[in-house]
Amino acid sequence: MKHFFFALIASAAALSNYAQNLVPNPSFEEYLECPFSTAGLDNLVVDWFCWQLSADFFHTCSNELEALAGVPENVWGHQSPITGLGYAGVITFVDFLENGREYMAAPLTNSLVPGELYYLMVHVSLCDSSESITRKCATNNLGMRFFKDPTYSYFPPVNAFQADNFAHLNYNEIITDDQNWTLVEGWFTADEAYNWVAIGNFFDDQNTATAVLNDQNRCSAVYYIENVCVAIDPADCDYLLNNPKAADLDSYFKVYPNPALDEINVLFEIGDIEQLTLYDSLGRILSEYGPFYSGSARIDVSTFQAGLYVLSVKSKNQIFNQKIIIK
């Protein structure tokens, strides 16, 4: 069964923005099964495939599996997602395999129109540790590239893509930030009716700069990948970046008191509440409530430990999230 987690949206009209991003499943929230280890993107994430080696998939649903592929803690380090509960990961360089790379690719929802100008966006973050911390390093050349009717595949019959020193969007600087997400963005005028997009380091070892971040002079560069967007208007990517503004939510969505001690009240003025879900700070579901047909609900939180939580309110395929503090 497919699992879904929708990005936060402030109104039903905002749903139209999803159609404008030509990248399906752009924040890796639609999946077939929870990842139990690394190298799971090709098998588990809907609409995404691997073209050399096997890219990773991380999600909060795997947090009980010894943190190998969990979020924010996993085998490569610690990072919180920008959108939803998951993200991907790719290798951009390894010193023990010539031109060893991981490429992740997806079919576009519509082919690019030749002559049309497109905005490209992806967020990346260097892993902050790994099973083998002595190999940690960073590279440049993380980017995006378009293809028309490609036949590359990691699984048999193997036809792996090989770096050939060309990308439609390329980040020339070495990305060493392992605490924050780095935005890789740019513009591209389509010269063909491309129908696939791929992400990775498309340059060979001789044309890739590295920064060794260990005292063993070894190098394996691993980056988290999040929020991929290809659109005519950059505004069509905003739903991946921004939570609804508090001023907008206050007009029809209220959660009080916050901080809370014994109970939380929810007022939702634009429809029935199909479900309320309370998550802990690691994204684990603690309790589910509903439906509520009056547009209001009251939740007893007297038995929960003090800390930070997220309350998710679902109504007509819309999900509104609110951080709450329980004393």
Side-chain angles (χ1 to χ4, degrees):
M1 177 180 295
K2 295 181 180 180
H3 301 249
F4 299 89
F5 186 96
F6 293 96
L8 304 183
I9 47 179
S11 68
L15 284 170
S16 62
N17 283 341
Y18 286 79
Q20 303 306 312
N21 182 3
L22 300 181
V23 180
N25 199 12
S27 57
F28 316 103
E29 302 305 323
E30 187 179 349
Y31 57 95
L32 301 176
E33 295 180 17
C34 292
F36 58 88
S37 184
T38 58
L41 183 134
D42 197 294
N43 292 321
L44 303 179
V45 182
V46 175
D47 288 323
W48 284 92
F49 303 88
C50 298
W51 284 358
Q52 188 192 137
L53 303 179
S54 187
D56 300 333
F57 170 48
F58 306 99
H59 200 277
T60 59
C61 67
S62 290
N63 284 346
E64 301 300 325
L65 303 178
E66 300 181 359
L68 286 178
V71 170
E73 301 288 343
N74 53 65
V75 70
W76 299 126
H78 177 104
Q79 185 56 273
S80 297
I82 303 173
T83 301
L85 301 176
Y87 46 74
V90 296
I91 292 173
T92 61
F93 184 95
V94 288
D95 56 13
F96 55 84
L97 180 62
E98 184 178 4
N99 296 325
R101 307 283 186 269
E102 287 180 338
Y103 297 105
M104 45 188 290
L108 300 175
T109 57
N110 289 294
S111 298
L112 301 189
V113 177
E116 187 72 68
L117 183 64
Y118 292 90
Y119 173 72
L120 317 180
M121 179 189 84
V122 61
H123 285 81
V124 305
S125 179
L126 179 67
C127 73
D128 60 5
S129 65
S130 71
E131 288 180 308
S132 177
I133 191 66
T134 57
R135 304 194 65 90
K136 181 178 179 180
C137 74
T139 74
N140 65 346
N141 289 341
L142 250 169
M144 300 170 63
R145 180 166 165 177
F146 296 97
F147 295 81
K148 184 176 181 180
D149 301 325
T151 59
Y152 303 109
S153 174
Y154 167 67
F155 292 99
V158 175
N159 180 27
F161 178 82
Q162 302 297 324
D164 59 2
N165 302 321
F166 174 78
H168 291 108
L169 172 67
N170 192 57
Y171 201 88
N172 293 318
E173 298 179 16
I174 297 176
I175 300 174
T176 59
D177 194 339
D178 59 9
Q179 300 299 308
N180 306 293
W181 290 96
T182 297
L183 173 62
V184 178
E185 64 178 340
W187 291 89
F188 165 64
T189 299
D191 56 345
E192 286 193 49
Y194 298 110
N195 53 7
W196 280 71
V197 63
I199 296 171
N201 174 11
F202 297 94
F203 291 76
D204 61 23
D205 292 349
Q206 292 183 342
N207 290 282
T208 296
T210 62
V212 175
L213 303 174
N214 63 80
D215 58 6
Q216 302 298 317
N217 198 32
R218 306 173 74 181
C219 186
S220 294
V222 182
Y223 287 86
Y224 299 124
I225 305 295
E226 170 76 304
N227 283 352
V228 188
C229 189
V230 176
I232 293 177
D233 188 342
D236 292 329
C237 304
D238 285 350
Y239 74 96
L240 293 171
L241 302 175
N242 302 314
N243 293 340
K245 296 179 180 179
D248 297 331
L249 285 177
D250 284 344
S251 62
Y252 50 78
F253 174 49
K254 292 181 174 64
V255 178
Y256 66 94
N258 190 11
L261 182 61
D262 297 317
E263 65 180 25
I264 296 172
N265 296 283
V266 180
L267 293 179
F268 192 73
E269 300 180 0
I270 62 172
D272 297 330
I273 299 174
E274 297 179 9
Q275 182 173 289
L276 294 176
T277 305
L278 189 66
Y279 297 88
D280 67 10
S281 59
L282 295 178
R284 295 175 295 198
I285 296 177
L286 300 180
S287 296
E288 295 178 312
Y289 314 88
F292 302 93
Y293 299 109
S294 62
S296 64
R298 180 174 296 173
I299 301 175
D300 182 1
V301 296
S302 60
T303 61
F304 291 101
Q305 295 183 352
L308 177 66
Y309 296 79
V310 175
L311 181 66
S312 177
V313 181
K314 179 180 180 181
S315 176
K316 295 181 180 179
N317 291 328
Q318 302 177 70
I319 295 180
F320 303 83
N321 286 7
Q322 176 68 52
K323 292 182 181 179
I324 60 173
I325 298 174
I326 297 178
K327 294 182 178 179

